[in-house]
Amino acid sequence: MPRDQRQRVLVVIPAWNEQDALPGVLREVAASDLGASVVVVNDGSTDDTTGVARAAGVDVLELPMNLGVGGAMRAGYRYARRYGFDVVVQLDADGQHDPREVPLLLEALDATGADLVIGARFAGRGDYAANGPRRWAMRALSVLLSRVTRTPLTDTTSGFKAAGPRAVALFATNYPAEYLGDTVESLVIAARAGLRVRQVSVEMRPRAAGQPSHGPLKAAVFLVRAMVALVMALLRPKAAPLGGGLT
Amino acid sequence: MSAYTFALLLSVATLALMVNLLRTRRMREKYALWWALLAVGVILLALNPRILEWAADVVGIVVPTNLLFFASGFVLLAVCVQFSTELSSLEEDRRVLCEEVAMVRLELRHLTERVARQEASAGAPEPDPHPLPAAGGLVPAAAPPGPPDDLPDGTGPART
């Protein structure tokens, strides 16, 4: 199915102290000719994230303080709503996500009629691997969230996502800033609001700069916090109907 | 001075403090509720200690002072919970304000650039009667490259 060219697409790049990796990501985005607008959400960085983004000719939403990925993304969704974008693509600033794969996500939005498409790392392509307890934690999350969203998901903590108009409207008013709120809880919110969630497989690259978090203890803490986040997300009252509230 | 008089004086002082803080608007009424209830309760108990014995008997606590300790602990818990919920809602408010500030700053930037472009194309700009402070980088040295904005109001994002 050909892409609807009338749809306005916004690529939101949440960035926190990413002055080293961001220029490369922005170059790749520009080179992959997505026909989309780009906005970097500077999540209270203390480095020159804003400067390097502006130097690349990209608009920057500067949050006055660090709100976390969830906070940065809701700012992006609200921006999208305010300026009439139909589709929002979330792309990490650390170079893990290949901007050339954005069209895959957009095609999946159209082809499957989904409201939210996740670029999954473990779905057969690429060589991204988490190991040990962290992998078990992610497996457990996948199994549980697949049930909640009624679709097979293999990588629920991926930050590479495309949101269609209904998801943009929902997330503009309802995107949690809590730990794992941008991944686990946002999926639960979407599923319970009746949105269709699908995944496509993408290749994931090692981050271009910065340190990933590792270690068995951290993985255990991650598992516990992920489970708490999931259970709380399921216990919460359903999201308010679309349309109302913040714009 | 008996312990009851002491308690009475202390709780009257607390109540007076609450009223004064409310009167001078240094504390909002919703935060005073628990403290005021506590002060009134202690005043009642000091005036008539039999209330405590009666209440302890009703809930099945043998030593009446234990009821007092339990009740004071409970009030402190209630106040802490109230603070936590108020803090959470303040954080959410703060988040919304952050988003708004970020968007307003970006719009201001677009407008400033647009004015600068128009002035540049219209020749020498007229002296600005209300110049913006130079600090803060509101006026860029040069407009960033890229096609013109595609929104009617010109404040929208540039397409790459």
Side-chain angles (χ1 to χ4, degrees):
Chain A
M1 197 183 294
R3 277 208 41 72
D4 184 352
Q5 292 300 323
R6 288 163 302 174
Q7 279 200 325
R8 300 183 68 215
V9 179
L10 177 70
V11 176
V12 178
I13 306 179
W16 182 51
N17 292 340
E18 293 284 6
Q19 65 176 14
D20 298 328
L22 191 57
V25 173
L26 293 175
R27 263 197 307 277
E28 284 187 324
V29 171
S32 34
D33 193 26
L34 302 172
S37 296
V38 181
V39 66
V40 168
V41 185
N42 180 353
D43 190 13
S45 300
T46 51
D47 67 357
D48 195 29
T49 296
T50 298
V52 299
R54 289 224 175 105
V58 168
D59 275 338
V60 183
L61 276 181
E62 289 177 276
L63 298 178
M65 57 195 82
N66 184 265
L67 295 181
V69 179
M73 279 313 296
R74 195 180 73 176
Y77 283 117
R78 289 186 64 194
Y79 176 89
R81 281 275 278 177
R82 186 162 294 182
Y83 291 110
F85 288 96
D86 305 297
V87 174
V88 168
V89 177
Q90 177 184 350
L91 187 75
D92 276 3
D94 61 8
Q96 275 194 83
H97 306 147
D98 190 340
R100 285 170 298 181
E101 296 194 298
V102 168
L104 284 180
L105 267 59
L106 297 176
E107 280 157 23
L109 269 185
D110 294 339
T112 63
D115 298 297
L116 186 64
V117 171
I118 305 169
R121 292 164 284 191
F122 304 127
R125 297 179 57 206
D127 51 6
Y128 180 93
N131 31 28
R134 192 173 179 89
R135 191 185 175 90
W136 306 332
M138 290 165 117
R139 276 265 171 83
L141 274 180
S142 300
V143 170
L144 292 168
L145 281 168
S146 296
R147 289 194 156 216
V148 175
T149 56
R150 292 177 302 277
T151 185
L153 301 176
T154 52
D155 181 15
T156 52
T157 53
S158 165
F160 195 20
K161 285 184 276 200
R166 295 207 305 154
V168 172
L170 176 69
F171 289 153
T173 58
N174 215 311
Y175 208 73
E178 265 130 295
Y179 183 72
L180 287 174
D182 57 304
T183 52
V184 175
E185 193 180 348
S186 70
L187 282 179
V188 176
I189 290 173
R192 296 177 84 199
L195 303 190
R196 277 165 72 96
V197 183
R198 292 293 179 269
Q199 79 170 22
V200 292
S201 59
V202 294
E203 283 183 42
M204 207 62 64
R205 307 175 294 189
R207 56 181 74 193
Q211 284 296 309
S213 47
H214 274 311
L217 186 68
K218 277 189 177 164
V221 172
F222 169 80
L223 177 62
V224 171
R225 295 184 74 178
M227 288 307 148
V228 170
L230 179 60
V231 170
M232 287 316 297
L234 289 169
L235 288 178
R236 288 211 171 89
K238 281 192 182 182
L242 301 181
L246 302 163
T247 54
Chain B
M1 186 164 74
S2 81
Y4 291 117
T5 326
F6 179 63
L8 187 63
L9 287 176
L10 216 58
S11 43
V12 168
T14 310
L15 199 58
L17 179 68
M18 291 298 134
V19 171
N20 192 41
L21 285 177
L22 287 174
R23 199 176 58 85
T24 53
R25 295 191 191 282
R26 276 182 290 165
M27 181 168 65
R28 294 185 56 188
E29 162 269 328
K30 57 182 176 181
Y31 300 111
L33 178 71
W34 288 105
W35 300 125
L37 279 181
L38 185 68
V40 169
V42 175
I43 289 173
L44 288 177
L45 288 183
L47 289 175
N48 186 359
R50 307 293 292 276
I51 297 174
L52 184 63
E53 287 163 31
W54 171 80
D57 191 49
V58 166
V59 295
I61 293 176
V62 179
V63 185
T65 41
N66 281 349
L67 176 62
L68 205 57
F69 287 133
F70 173 76
S72 55
F74 187 80
V75 170
L76 289 178
L77 177 74
V79 171
C80 286
V81 169
Q82 188 195 11
F83 285 168
S84 302
T85 56
E86 294 290 344
L87 262 181
S88 305
S89 96
L90 281 177
E91 273 190 43
E92 175 58 27
D93 293 351
R94 186 193 70 153
R95 198 181 153 194
V96 173
L97 287 176
C98 280
E99 291 166 347
E100 282 302 317
V101 167
M103 275 189 263
V104 167
R105 275 171 83 177
L106 185 56
E107 277 170 26
L108 178 63
R109 196 181 161 79
H110 281 296
L111 283 174
T112 324
E113 284 169 2
R114 200 170 149 216
V115 168
R117 271 201 304 273
Q118 282 179 350
E119 280 176 352
S121 63
E126 289 175 24
D128 189 350
H130 308 289
L132 287 168
L138 280 173
V139 186
D149 302 335
D150 56 357
L151 282 185
D153 62 354
T155 57
R159 283 177 103 91
T160 56

